[in-house]
Amino acid sequence: MTYQLTVVVPVYNEEDNLLRVEQVFKDYFKIADVPTQVLFVNDGSKDNSRQLIEEICTRSNGFQYISFQKNCGLSAAIKAGFDYTKTPLVGYIDSDLQTTPEDFNILLKYIGEYDLVTGHRADRKDSFVKNMSSTIANKIRRAFTHDGMDDTGCPLKIIKTDYAQRIPMFKGLHRFLPAMIMLQNGKTIQVPIRHFPRIAGTAKFGLWNRLIGPLIDCFAYLWMKKKYINYQVGKKSDA
């Protein structure tokens, strides 16, 4: 099969969710609008996640993995997933499945015209503190980046791979994916998708990660924007 979309699934201590990820994606493969595969990125998990991932990839078609030697963080896991993708399109979803792979079909409707399509969790099923801190962080980030995104942290995205692989990722920059595509003169759009409560496992981000951290990262983004090199070749010699 010639796959068109690789969905990156970062994993850090998510052993309670992985069998559900396997089944949900096996169901999605049957209805996906384009041939789709999954790339697990094991971010140095300390529980049984690595073994479960290897078992899933051995017994089920459409699943691959890479595994870090130690924990490097979400941005590194996403970046590695982008780098190891060989399909024209790359997606991203969290292993907690608070979003559903079925909604990739919604995003795929827009990826022809746009270079990044991200979900917008219009009806988030999170705690008040989590929702409020994310809302504040998004307003701060939007003031710095002017990317027009209301929910840049939504863990459901599709990007054209050539754009994704040019993103100069560093820790925390996963919150700025739309802005980084715009630095490449790419087109972005957000569309409403469904959101569900977390069923198993624990959240990896607290108040610091959602509020204070993103504020600091905004200054890193401004530095990146000032120094970013962007060029287009108008003509070249024949081979």
Side-chain angles (χ1 to χ4, degrees), residues 111-129:
I111 197 61
E113 180 180 356
Y114 294 89
D115 304 300
L116 174 146
V117 185
T118 182
H120 173 215
R121 298 165 290 183
D123 184 21
R124 288 187 65 171
K125 306 298 184 181
D126 287 322
S127 68
F128 173 81
V129 172

Side-chain angles (χ1 to χ4, degrees), residues 19-227:
L19 295 181
R20 192 163 61 98
V21 171
E22 178 187 20
Q23 187 57 56
V24 166
F25 267 100
K26 288 172 71 172
D27 292 339
Y28 174 65
F29 293 159
K30 300 173 184 177
I31 63 168
D33 285 349
V34 299
T36 300
Q37 64 180 351
V38 166
L39 175 60
F40 288 112
V41 182
N42 175 38
D43 184 19
S45 296
K46 296 178 175 61
D47 63 359
N48 200 38
S49 293
R50 182 180 64 82
Q51 181 177 340
L52 285 171
I53 288 171
E54 292 179 7
E55 292 173 357
I56 291 169
C57 294
T58 298
R59 67 174 174 249
S60 297
N61 294 329
F63 293 85
Q64 298 180 331
Y65 77 92
I66 58 177
S67 191
F68 290 171
Q69 292 182 340
K70 62 179 182 180
N71 177 247
C72 297
L74 179 58
S75 290
I78 293 174
K79 173 60 173 171
F82 289 172
D83 290 344
Y84 276 79
T85 291
K86 298 179 180 179
T87 53
L89 301 174
V90 59
Y92 157 55
I93 192 172
D94 278 350
S95 52
D96 60 17
L97 292 180
Q98 287 193 257
T99 53
T100 174
E102 291 181 8
D103 286 351
F104 278 122
N105 284 350
I106 298 175
L107 306 190
L108 283 166
K109 291 180 172 64
Y110 298 86
I111 197 61
E113 180 180 356
Y114 294 89
D115 304 300
L116 174 146
V117 185
T118 182
H120 173 215
R121 298 165 290 183
D123 184 21
R124 288 187 65 171
K125 306 298 184 181
D126 287 322
S127 68
F128 173 81
V129 172
K130 187 174 182 180
N131 286 338
M132 184 57 64
S133 60
S134 294
T135 298
I136 295 172
N138 273 306
K139 288 182 178 180
I140 294 172
R141 176 201 41 75
R142 195 163 55 244
F144 276 79
T145 64
H146 304 289
D147 62 6
M149 296 291 155
D150 299 307
D151 187 18
T152 188
C154 178
L156 198 79
K157 293 178 172 64
I158 293 181
I159 312 174
K160 290 177 180 173
T161 301
D162 56 343
Y163 280 84
Q165 292 180 340
R166 290 197 298 265
I167 296 174
M169 297 283 281
F170 58 85
K171 286 187 177 180
L173 205 63
H174 61 272
R175 303 180 182 95
F176 296 84
L177 290 177
M180 296 308 298
I181 298 300
M182 291 171 65
L183 282 185
Q184 302 177 45
N185 296 322
K187 295 177 64 178
T188 65
I189 189 174
Q190 61 180 0
V191 296
I193 53 96
R194 292 171 288 174
H195 191 246
F196 306 91
R198 176 185 269 270
I199 294 177
T202 58
K204 306 302 185 295
F205 294 93
L207 182 61
W208 170 268
N209 304 97
R210 295 193 190 97
L211 194 55
I212 308 301
L215 175 59
I216 297 172
D217 293 339
C218 283
F219 292 99
Y221 167 78
L222 290 181
W223 178 89
M224 177 74 67
K225 182 177 181 179
K226 183 178 180 180
K227 300 293 184 178

